[in-house]
Amino acid sequence: MTTLTALPPLDTAPLFPALHAELMQLLRALEPDDWQRPTVAGAWRVHDVAAHMLDGELRTLAAHRDGHQLPPDQPVRSYDDVVALIQRLNTEGVAVGRRLSPELLLALLGMSGQWMSRFVTELDPEAPALYAVAWAGEEQSTNRFDTAREYTERWHHQMQIRMAVGEVRGQTARLLAPRLFEPLLATSVHVLPHAYRACAAANGTSVVLHCVGDTQAEYSLVREAQRWVLYRGAHRNPTVQVTAPASQWWQLFFNALDGNAIRSAIAIEGDASLAEPLLRARSVMV
C-alpha cells in the first residue's frame, strides 16, 4: 500500500491579498537604482518585471472581468502560436510600461492588485475558465485552476524582483514560507502528467518529487492504466526520487535555471533517465 491522496487544483484566491501586500511592501522599499537591476527574466530589469505584472493584471481584468477581448492579429492554431502571441503581448506591455515612472507603477499596481484580488474571489471556481492552462496540457480548465495559475504568475515574477534586489536584504525567504510557497509548488506540479505524456513505462512506475527545507512536501507521479496520475504524498517504492529545496524547485518550474544549474541543484536517486521529463518541465508558457 502507498499513502497517496488526489491533488486537485487548490483554492488560491484567498492568498491574493497577502501576496499583493508582500509585493507592495517590496516595491516601496526599493532604492532608485534597484529599479534597473537585472533579473533572471532574460533582458528584463526590475522595472520591466513590475511593468509586466501591471500589464498582465490589466489584460486579465479587461478580458476576463470586463469581456474586452481583442482578436489576435494572426491565427492561433497550435501551442507555439499561443506562446508567440503571449510573448508579443508581453513585449508590447513592457515597452509601454517603460514610459511609466516607478511612482506611477507603484500607484497603478496598488489598484490593479486590489481589483484582481477581489475579482478572483467572485469567480465560480468550477465554471470554465476563459483561458485553459495550456502548460498543463489542458484545452479547458476550471476557474479554480486558472486562478491558481494566476497565483503562480504573481508569485514567480515577484520572486524575480526579490532575487534581483533581495539577496543582501534577506527578502527572498519571505515567499518561500510554506503558506505562500506550498500552493505554488502544488500548482506547478500539475505540469508533470503532461510533461511525461510521451514517456512509456510499466504500470506502477513512480516519480517522486521531494521538497526539503522550511517547506517540506512530496508529490508522486504514478503510471496507472497506461497513463500518468499525480498525487500528493510519496510513493513507497519510487522508481526515481528527485530532491531539492524550495529555492531550486521554483527556479526549475519557472525557467530560471539552465540545464547545468538544474543538475547541480538537485539530488536524484534511482532511474535517472526517468527524471529527465521532470527536469525539462516548465509551469509557464515557453
Side-chain angles (χ1 to χ4, degrees):
M1 292 291 290
T2 57
T3 305
L4 303 175
T5 58
L7 184 65
L10 301 182
D11 180 15
T12 56
L15 296 173
F16 274 61
L19 191 63
H20 176 63
E22 291 286 356
L23 174 67
M24 298 309 296
Q25 180 180 0
L26 169 68
L27 295 181
R28 290 188 182 110
L30 296 185
E31 300 293 341
D33 289 348
D34 289 336
W35 289 88
Q36 295 305 317
R37 291 185 183 274
T39 73
V40 294
W44 286 359
R45 296 182 178 272
V46 167
H47 188 283
D48 297 326
V49 175
H52 170 65
M53 296 178 76
L54 174 64
D55 177 61
E57 292 197 329
L58 294 179
R59 276 196 277 135
T60 297
L61 290 164
H64 202 173
R65 186 192 68 181
D66 304 337
H68 181 70
Q69 299 182 62
L70 299 178
D73 56 2
Q74 297 179 7
V76 178
R77 300 190 179 97
S78 67
Y79 183 93
D80 288 343
D81 291 339
V82 175
V83 172
L85 174 63
I86 291 172
Q87 289 178 342
R88 179 178 62 78
L89 292 173
N90 290 345
T91 299
E92 292 174 355
V94 168
V96 171
R98 286 175 180 156
R99 302 172 184 169
L100 303 177
S101 64
E103 290 78 10
L104 280 171
L105 280 177
L106 274 169
L108 293 172
L109 278 166
M111 290 189 294
S112 69
Q114 292 179 30
W115 296 337
M116 193 73 195
S117 296
R118 184 162 55 248
F119 170 65
V120 294
T121 64
E122 295 170 348
L123 291 169
D124 176 353
E126 303 309 320
L130 181 62
Y131 301 117
V133 183
W135 52 253
E138 295 201 351
E139 296 183 358
Q140 178 65 69
S141 301
T142 62
N143 281 326
R144 185 188 304 277
F145 193 15
D146 189 45
T147 295
R149 179 196 60 78
E150 293 279 8
Y151 177 83
T152 68
E153 283 286 310
R154 280 147 191 77
W155 191 102
H156 90 268
H157 286 308
Q158 183 179 155
M159 189 56 125
Q160 289 169 346
I161 297 174
R162 288 183 181 275
M163 283 187 69
V165 304
E167 291 297 322
V168 296
R169 301 181 192 170
Q171 288 285 359
T172 55
R174 295 183 68 86
L175 294 195
L176 295 175
R179 178 180 177 234
L180 294 177
F181 179 75
E182 192 167 4
L184 175 96
L185 186 59
T187 300
S188 303
V189 295
H190 280 275
V191 72
L192 294 180
H194 184 61
Y196 277 78
R197 65 192 182 281
C199 181
N203 287 335
T205 300
S206 61
V207 181
V208 172
L209 181 158
H210 187 201
C211 181
V212 295
D214 290 343
T215 295
Q216 299 188 22
E218 293 174 314
Y219 303 94
S220 296
L221 188 69
V222 184
R223 187 72 168 176
E224 298 177 353
Q226 305 306 313
R227 67 190 185 102
W228 292 99
V229 182
L230 182 65
Y231 293 101
R232 184 188 299 277
H235 194 280
R236 186 165 295 180
N237 296 301
T239 310
V240 62
Q241 177 171 290
V242 184
T243 302
S247 58
Q248 302 302 318
W249 280 122
W250 87 261
Q251 291 185 70
L252 186 153
F253 283 123
F254 294 95
N255 211 35
L257 288 175
D258 62 28
N260 291 332
I262 289 171
R263 282 164 176 77
S264 65
I266 63 175
I268 299 176
E269 301 175 61
D271 183 353
S273 66
L274 193 59
E276 288 301 313
L278 188 157
L279 302 185
R280 295 192 300 269
R282 299 293 181 268
S283 303
V284 287
M285 298 291 286
V286 293

